[in-house]
Amino acid sequence: MNFRKTKKPLSSRLASPGYYLVFFFALIHFFNAYGQEDLKINYRNTSLKSVLLDLEERTDFLFSYSDETVANKTVNKTADTIGIEELLQFLGSTTGLVFEQIGENQIIISRPDNRTSVCGYLFDGIAKTPLPYATIIIKGTTKGYTTDENGYFSIENETIRDGILVQYIGYTSRLLFEADFDKDNCKNLFLNPQAESLSEVIVKSYLIKGIDKNRDGSLTLKSKEQGILPGLVESDVLQSAQWAPGITSINETVSDIQIRGGAADQNLILYDGIKMYNTGHFFGMISVFNPNITTDATIFKGGASPEYGDRIAGVVDIKGETQVPDKTIVGLGLNGTQADAYVKTRLGETVGLIVSGRRSYADIDPLGTPTFDAISEKVFQNTIVVNDANGQVVDDEEDEESLLEGEEVFSFYDANVKLIIKPSKNDSIYFSGLLTSNDLNFSLQDDENLSRDILVTENQGASFEWSGLKGSRWHHSLSAYFSDYESTYRNRFLEEQNIEEENLRSNTVTDYGMDARIGYDFNRSHSMEVGYQAARNEVFYQLFRDENGDDNEQEDLEEGEGDEDEGPIGVPENEEERDFNERSTAKNTTHSIYGAYSYRPQNRGLVRIGIRASNFQILEEWFFEPRLNVEYPVSPFLRLKLTGEKRYQTLSQLVEFDDTRLRLQSGIWTLTDNDQFPVLESDQFSAGFLLDMKGWTVDVDAYLKKIDGLTSFTNGFTSASEEYSQGTSDVFGLDFLVKKQLG
């Protein structure tokens, strides 16, 4: 009713005796209607439930609903005056709910009935072939479907307002909505192949959680997922790897690992593409790879892709963080050997920075720990550290009492920095830096005799990588690295302040190079990759020994002595007065081209054929390395395996067998000259099977390896002639693993 629209004259209305009574009741009705229909509201991020409770207090309306229906619904609306009907329409449109009035003041709130039926055929977006047994999931529910052999699927009478997720191994997932389907026909839908950086996992938790077996036979170790193996307090790549069959360490260190009978220097170890020449702290007892910033490692015992060259045994490819952090994370740690810290921070939407460092503290008196002392005792057994100044072994209490002063100072540290850039969805750019250092200073004094040993070992490097995907078929990578290794050992014996013996062992390796590769996926099953690598090696070593030097030699040595931190010890300039002095400087540039064809059938098998051709400038000759890797499943539970490869190595270590001084890290890196140091050459073959069913895992590999060109430094510092010996090695072995998963 609107009394303002009456057609009676004002004088007539005023004169009517009953008008005032009518006017009174109309006015009351007006204010009741106004109070119920016109409201002043101010809702800012207010929950829908709070809005409904407010309306029930201010109006005569009652709302019926379930808490699940109105959960997570918010309202943003302000108005000086708004009708109740207009407000209810607004609430329905913004929340997607249905407001149904079933009585004069009763309103029921419910979700709309969006159930529908859809169907379709799923195809490969490139080959246009059906994708059988793909996974179809209704988002927001636990309901799932699969396509049949023809790629067909149908969903009947379901609510799909959140979409339908379509997934297939090796393809980019796709989220579909009702608008993507045809109501009258089953529409053809397509998925595009996705480039895979890692091979498909065949056996999850191959040894423990976080160690998986891949389709190409390699192992992947994931630091964040990995459980703790017996004897370890934190995950460590090189320690964990030794639990796999075929990988061991004869001297019980984490760095000098042997893979299928190969020596430690025959393994290619990479950290973010940086070639590592020293991988252990405290003479190999602790890995240089910080587990706080190491994400995963891929280990090949055989059958490695032709992109891996320069070594004849195994491959350990370690990766740092690859994702931009969601937020800033700071970590601090302390154990019996070291303190560590790391920072992971987000610099922007597409940029992240990782910084970490570790340092031992046993050299800071009096912070020695039982853990460090126990490791020290194990490391220095059977070395000069347990001898007196005259070289006699201290093995009884009488000798121990004769020692007046002994000092052992050891420290190590490592630091990492990595910049992560994601310029687009399909591109990743990484800049990585690494620095590791070990420093030993040992002195032993007996009366007026003094023995001092100083050993400094450093390995530093940097790398760059840009990888990406173009379209749905092309993937590319461009990378470069720099690695610098330096090791210097100095030993001196003094009797009554006179130098009786002087030893020096110095070794440096500078290694830098680049890699460019491009791959093409013909379809889900067939792909090809080609690449080019260039590398430059510069290697220097010096082996010097002077015993019972004359006055001139003594004077020369004292002039160059200085403090242990001031640089190398001086050596006599007159070479004829030396007992031994061997120097070598060598350089080599390597150009390599490689390619591989891979066939991945839908039964999760693999056939990879590859070849690598390298030209070594130091030898002026091309060397060819064919590669073969076959894994074929004969049933869902049984796979047959076969690998074959030929590999070459121009940079290796010589071992000083007859050196009676400090027997720690005595290896010397040197380049081949195809004479005294021949090229290392290996032929490797393996065959076996993998059984994985009902919690049982049985993995068997028989292998044969022939190595030619082995050398050794046999006469220590004492002779400059016939120092080296050469030989071959034939290795036959069997890798065998049996595991039963309980629970």
Side-chain angles (χ1 to χ4, degrees), residues 203-213 220-230 235-236 240 295 739 741:
V203 180
K204 297 285 290 184
S205 301
Y206 176 73
L207 289 171
I208 60 172
K209 182 181 179 181
I211 301 181
D212 304 327
K213 184 85 168 181
T220 296
L221 284 67
K222 298 181 179 179
S223 298
K224 294 181 180 180
E225 300 178 11
Q226 188 176 324
I228 301 299
L229 289 163
S235 62
D236 185 282
S240 301
T295 57
K739 188 189 77 167
Q741 183 79 31

mmCIF file of all heavy atoms in Angstrom, residues 203-213 220-230 235-236 240 295 739 741:
data_model
loop_
_atom_site.group_PDB
_atom_site.id
_atom_site.type_symbol
_atom_site.label_atom_id
_atom_site.label_comp_id
_atom_site.label_asym_id
_atom_site.label_seq_id
_atom_site.Cartn_x
_atom_site.Cartn_y
_atom_site.Cartn_z
ATOM 1 N N VAL A 203 60.332 -49.222 -9.499
ATOM 2 C CA VAL A 203 60.188 -49.763 -8.151
ATOM 3 C C VAL A 203 60.335 -48.621 -7.155
ATOM 4 O O VAL A 203 61.411 -48.026 -7.051
ATOM 5 C CB VAL A 203 61.239 -50.858 -7.857
ATOM 6 C CG1 VAL A 203 61.047 -51.400 -6.438
ATOM 7 C CG2 VAL A 203 61.149 -51.985 -8.868
ATOM 8 N N LYS A 204 59.245 -48.313 -6.447
ATOM 9 C CA LYS A 204 59.312 -47.322 -5.378
ATOM 10 C C LYS A 204 59.941 -47.957 -4.135
ATOM 11 O O LYS A 204 59.749 -49.137 -3.866
ATOM 12 C CB LYS A 204 57.921 -46.809 -5.041
ATOM 13 C CG LYS A 204 57.236 -46.072 -6.177
ATOM 14 C CD LYS A 204 57.813 -44.687 -6.382
ATOM 15 C CE LYS A 204 57.448 -43.761 -5.258
ATOM 16 N NZ LYS A 204 57.923 -42.379 -5.482
ATOM 17 N N SER A 205 60.720 -47.146 -3.403
ATOM 18 C CA SER A 205 61.373 -47.629 -2.175
ATOM 19 C C SER A 205 62.183 -48.892 -2.461
ATOM 20 O O SER A 205 62.006 -49.930 -1.827
ATOM 21 C CB SER A 205 60.330 -47.895 -1.080
ATOM 22 O OG SER A 205 59.608 -46.724 -0.789
ATOM 23 N N TYR A 206 63.064 -48.782 -3.442
ATOM 24 C CA TYR A 206 63.888 -49.923 -3.866
ATOM 25 C C TYR A 206 64.677 -50.496 -2.686
ATOM 26 O O TYR A 206 64.729 -51.706 -2.490
ATOM 27 C CB TYR A 206 64.829 -49.457 -4.969
ATOM 28 C CG TYR A 206 65.813 -50.489 -5.464
ATOM 29 C CD1 TYR A 206 65.396 -51.553 -6.267
ATOM 30 C CD2 TYR A 206 67.161 -50.396 -5.143
ATOM 31 C CE1 TYR A 206 66.298 -52.490 -6.731
ATOM 32 C CE2 TYR A 206 68.077 -51.319 -5.614
ATOM 33 C CZ TYR A 206 67.655 -52.367 -6.400
ATOM 34 O OH TYR A 206 68.551 -53.290 -6.855
ATOM 35 N N LEU A 207 65.309 -49.635 -1.896
ATOM 36 C CA LEU A 207 65.967 -50.057 -0.658
ATOM 37 C C LEU A 207 65.164 -49.582 0.551
ATOM 38 O O LEU A 207 64.731 -50.372 1.377
ATOM 39 C CB LEU A 207 67.392 -49.508 -0.590
ATOM 40 C CG LEU A 207 68.401 -50.130 -1.556
ATOM 41 C CD1 LEU A 207 69.696 -49.356 -1.530
ATOM 42 C CD2 LEU A 207 68.652 -51.589 -1.195
ATOM 43 N N ILE A 208 65.003 -48.268 0.645
ATOM 44 C CA ILE A 208 64.163 -47.647 1.657
ATOM 45 C C ILE A 208 63.381 -46.544 0.962
ATOM 46 O O ILE A 208 63.581 -46.276 -0.227
ATOM 47 C CB ILE A 208 64.991 -47.068 2.820
ATOM 48 C CG1 ILE A 208 65.966 -46.004 2.286
ATOM 49 C CG2 ILE A 208 65.713 -48.144 3.580
ATOM 50 C CD1 ILE A 208 66.683 -45.237 3.365
ATOM 51 N N LYS A 209 62.517 -45.884 1.695
ATOM 52 C CA LYS A 209 61.774 -44.767 1.139
ATOM 53 C C LYS A 209 62.734 -43.687 0.658
ATOM 54 O O LYS A 209 63.662 -43.306 1.354
ATOM 55 C CB LYS A 209 60.832 -44.187 2.188
ATOM 56 C CG LYS A 209 59.975 -43.046 1.681
ATOM 57 C CD LYS A 209 59.080 -42.491 2.777
ATOM 58 C CE LYS A 209 58.251 -41.325 2.264
ATOM 59 N NZ LYS A 209 57.391 -40.743 3.325
ATOM 60 N N GLY A 210 62.511 -43.194 -0.560
ATOM 61 C CA GLY A 210 63.364 -42.153 -1.128
ATOM 62 C C GLY A 210 64.446 -42.681 -2.037
ATOM 63 O O GLY A 210 65.166 -41.895 -2.658
ATOM 64 N N ILE A 211 64.588 -44.002 -2.150
ATOM 65 C CA ILE A 211 65.533 -44.611 -3.097
ATOM 66 C C ILE A 211 64.715 -45.468 -4.058
ATOM 67 O O ILE A 211 64.178 -46.506 -3.674
ATOM 68 C CB ILE A 211 66.601 -45.452 -2.389
ATOM 69 C CG1 ILE A 211 67.393 -44.593 -1.401
ATOM 70 C CG2 ILE A 211 67.542 -46.088 -3.406
ATOM 71 C CD1 ILE A 211 68.489 -45.339 -0.664
ATOM 72 N N ASP A 212 64.606 -45.022 -5.310
ATOM 73 C CA ASP A 212 63.741 -45.669 -6.295
ATOM 74 C C ASP A 212 64.547 -46.217 -7.463
ATOM 75 O O ASP A 212 65.626 -45.717 -7.797
ATOM 76 C CB ASP A 212 62.692 -44.684 -6.814
ATOM 77 C CG ASP A 212 61.863 -44.074 -5.696
ATOM 78 O OD1 ASP A 212 61.618 -44.772 -4.697
ATOM 79 O OD2 ASP A 212 61.476 -42.899 -5.825
ATOM 80 N N LYS A 213 64.006 -47.235 -8.109
ATOM 81 C CA LYS A 213 64.597 -47.847 -9.302
ATOM 82 C C LYS A 213 63.876 -47.304 -10.528
ATOM 83 O O LYS A 213 62.640 -47.338 -10.602
ATOM 84 C CB LYS A 213 64.441 -49.366 -9.232
ATOM 85 C CG LYS A 213 65.102 -50.124 -10.358
ATOM 86 C CD LYS A 213 66.561 -50.387 -10.083
ATOM 87 C CE LYS A 213 67.142 -51.387 -11.078
ATOM 88 N NZ LYS A 213 68.555 -51.665 -10.818
ATOM 89 N N THR A 220 67.471 -43.463 -8.197
ATOM 90 C CA THR A 220 67.268 -42.069 -7.820
ATOM 91 C C THR A 220 67.163 -41.980 -6.307
ATOM 92 O O THR A 220 66.331 -42.664 -5.699
ATOM 93 C CB THR A 220 66.000 -41.490 -8.462
ATOM 94 O OG1 THR A 220 66.146 -41.477 -9.880
ATOM 95 C CG2 THR A 220 65.772 -40.054 -7.993
ATOM 96 N N LEU A 221 68.008 -41.143 -5.709
ATOM 97 C CA LEU A 221 68.001 -40.904 -4.273
ATOM 98 C C LEU A 221 67.432 -39.517 -4.026
ATOM 99 O O LEU A 221 68.004 -38.526 -4.491
ATOM 100 C CB LEU A 221 69.413 -40.999 -3.684
ATOM 101 C CG LEU A 221 70.014 -42.402 -3.490
ATOM 102 C CD1 LEU A 221 70.264 -43.085 -4.827
ATOM 103 C CD2 LEU A 221 71.317 -42.313 -2.711
ATOM 104 N N LYS A 222 66.308 -39.424 -3.322
ATOM 105 C CA LYS A 222 65.655 -38.157 -3.033
ATOM 106 C C LYS A 222 65.878 -37.809 -1.562
ATOM 107 O O LYS A 222 65.356 -38.483 -0.673
ATOM 108 C CB LYS A 222 64.161 -38.239 -3.356
ATOM 109 C CG LYS A 222 63.884 -38.523 -4.830
ATOM 110 C CD LYS A 222 62.398 -38.567 -5.120
ATOM 111 C CE LYS A 222 62.143 -38.832 -6.596
ATOM 112 N NZ LYS A 222 60.689 -38.902 -6.907
ATOM 113 N N SER A 223 66.635 -36.742 -1.330
ATOM 114 C CA SER A 223 67.051 -36.402 0.032
ATOM 115 C C SER A 223 65.868 -36.125 0.942
ATOM 116 O O SER A 223 65.830 -36.566 2.098
ATOM 117 C CB SER A 223 67.989 -35.194 0.002
ATOM 118 O OG SER A 223 69.168 -35.490 -0.728
ATOM 119 N N LYS A 224 64.867 -35.368 0.451
ATOM 120 C CA LYS A 224 63.752 -34.966 1.311
ATOM 121 C C LYS A 224 62.850 -36.139 1.673
ATOM 122 O O LYS A 224 62.193 -36.118 2.715
ATOM 123 C CB LYS A 224 62.937 -33.870 0.626
ATOM 124 C CG LYS A 224 63.705 -32.562 0.442
ATOM 125 C CD LYS A 224 62.839 -31.505 -0.210
ATOM 126 C CE LYS A 224 63.602 -30.211 -0.385
ATOM 127 N NZ LYS A 224 62.788 -29.148 -1.034
ATOM 128 N N GLU A 225 62.797 -37.154 0.828
ATOM 129 C CA GLU A 225 61.920 -38.289 1.077
ATOM 130 C C GLU A 225 62.652 -39.461 1.711
ATOM 131 O O GLU A 225 62.032 -40.371 2.232
ATOM 132 C CB GLU A 225 61.281 -38.760 -0.238
ATOM 133 C CG GLU A 225 60.436 -37.705 -0.936
ATOM 134 C CD GLU A 225 59.868 -38.214 -2.244
ATOM 135 O OE1 GLU A 225 59.966 -39.436 -2.492
ATOM 136 O OE2 GLU A 225 59.339 -37.409 -3.019
ATOM 137 N N GLN A 226 63.974 -39.420 1.664
ATOM 138 C CA GLN A 226 64.754 -40.586 2.041
ATOM 139 C C GLN A 226 64.720 -40.849 3.530
ATOM 140 O O GLN A 226 64.889 -39.941 4.346
ATOM 141 C CB GLN A 226 66.212 -40.395 1.590
ATOM 142 C CG GLN A 226 67.077 -41.629 1.768
ATOM 143 C CD GLN A 226 68.467 -41.402 1.217
ATOM 144 O OE1 GLN A 226 68.640 -40.738 0.216
ATOM 145 N NE2 GLN A 226 69.456 -41.951 1.876
ATOM 146 N N GLY A 227 64.528 -42.103 3.884
ATOM 147 C CA GLY A 227 64.628 -42.509 5.274
ATOM 148 C C GLY A 227 66.082 -42.624 5.700
ATOM 149 O O GLY A 227 67.003 -42.504 4.902
ATOM 150 N N ILE A 228 66.296 -42.854 6.996
ATOM 151 C CA ILE A 228 67.640 -42.946 7.534
ATOM 152 C C ILE A 228 68.082 -44.409 7.535
ATOM 153 O O ILE A 228 67.416 -45.274 8.103
ATOM 154 C CB ILE A 228 67.711 -42.371 8.951
ATOM 155 C CG1 ILE A 228 67.262 -40.911 8.931
ATOM 156 C CG2 ILE A 228 69.118 -42.490 9.509
ATOM 157 C CD1 ILE A 228 68.115 -40.015 8.065
ATOM 158 N N LEU A 229 69.212 -44.671 6.887
ATOM 159 C CA LEU A 229 69.762 -46.010 6.851
ATOM 160 C C LEU A 229 70.512 -46.306 8.153
ATOM 161 O O LEU A 229 70.935 -45.390 8.866
ATOM 162 C CB LEU A 229 70.708 -46.150 5.662
ATOM 163 C CG LEU A 229 70.021 -46.173 4.286
ATOM 164 C CD1 LEU A 229 71.011 -45.900 3.174
ATOM 165 C CD2 LEU A 229 69.343 -47.517 4.064
ATOM 166 N N PRO A 230 70.707 -47.585 8.490
ATOM 167 C CA PRO A 230 71.414 -47.930 9.731
ATOM 168 C C PRO A 230 72.799 -47.284 9.791
ATOM 169 O O PRO A 230 73.550 -47.291 8.815
ATOM 170 C CB PRO A 230 71.520 -49.455 9.647
ATOM 171 C CG PRO A 230 70.382 -49.872 8.789
ATOM 172 C CD PRO A 230 70.212 -48.783 7.776
ATOM 173 N N SER A 235 70.501 -38.027 5.989
ATOM 174 C CA SER A 235 70.648 -38.596 4.652
ATOM 175 C C SER A 235 71.920 -38.084 4.003
ATOM 176 O O SER A 235 72.272 -36.910 4.123
ATOM 177 C CB SER A 235 69.436 -38.237 3.787
ATOM 178 O OG SER A 235 69.338 -36.833 3.632
ATOM 179 N N ASP A 236 72.638 -38.957 3.327
ATOM 180 C CA ASP A 236 73.870 -38.598 2.638
ATOM 181 C C ASP A 236 73.936 -39.405 1.348
ATOM 182 O O ASP A 236 73.826 -40.635 1.371
ATOM 183 C CB ASP A 236 75.091 -38.880 3.507
ATOM 184 C CG ASP A 236 76.384 -38.415 2.866
ATOM 185 O OD1 ASP A 236 76.887 -39.120 1.962
ATOM 186 O OD2 ASP A 236 76.882 -37.336 3.233
ATOM 187 N N SER A 240 74.500 -43.395 1.350
ATOM 188 C CA SER A 240 73.314 -44.184 1.001
ATOM 189 C C SER A 240 73.567 -45.044 -0.227
ATOM 190 O O SER A 240 73.055 -46.163 -0.324
ATOM 191 C CB SER A 240 72.124 -43.257 0.762
ATOM 192 O OG SER A 240 71.832 -42.484 1.907
ATOM 193 N N THR A 295 68.721 -32.110 -3.406
ATOM 194 C CA THR A 295 67.369 -32.649 -3.596
ATOM 195 C C THR A 295 67.385 -34.112 -4.022
ATOM 196 O O THR A 295 66.653 -34.929 -3.476
ATOM 197 C CB THR A 295 66.599 -31.826 -4.639
ATOM 198 O OG1 THR A 295 67.339 -31.805 -5.871
ATOM 199 C CG2 THR A 295 66.410 -30.400 -4.151
ATOM 200 N N LYS A 739 64.503 -58.334 -1.297
ATOM 201 C CA LYS A 739 63.852 -57.527 -0.268
ATOM 202 C C LYS A 739 62.384 -57.918 -0.163
ATOM 203 O O LYS A 739 61.728 -58.172 -1.170
ATOM 204 C CB LYS A 739 63.956 -56.034 -0.609
ATOM 205 C CG LYS A 739 63.463 -55.126 0.517
ATOM 206 C CD LYS A 739 63.364 -53.679 0.067
ATOM 207 C CE LYS A 739 62.127 -53.463 -0.767
ATOM 208 N NZ LYS A 739 61.811 -52.035 -0.983
ATOM 209 N N GLN A 741 58.851 -56.486 1.538
ATOM 210 C CA GLN A 741 58.172 -55.361 2.186
ATOM 211 C C GLN A 741 57.099 -55.902 3.118
ATOM 212 O O GLN A 741 56.196 -56.625 2.697
ATOM 213 C CB GLN A 741 57.535 -54.460 1.125
ATOM 214 C CG GLN A 741 56.863 -53.226 1.689
ATOM 215 C CD GLN A 741 57.851 -52.143 2.034
ATOM 216 O OE1 GLN A 741 58.884 -52.039 1.395
ATOM 217 N NE2 GLN A 741 57.543 -51.347 3.029
#
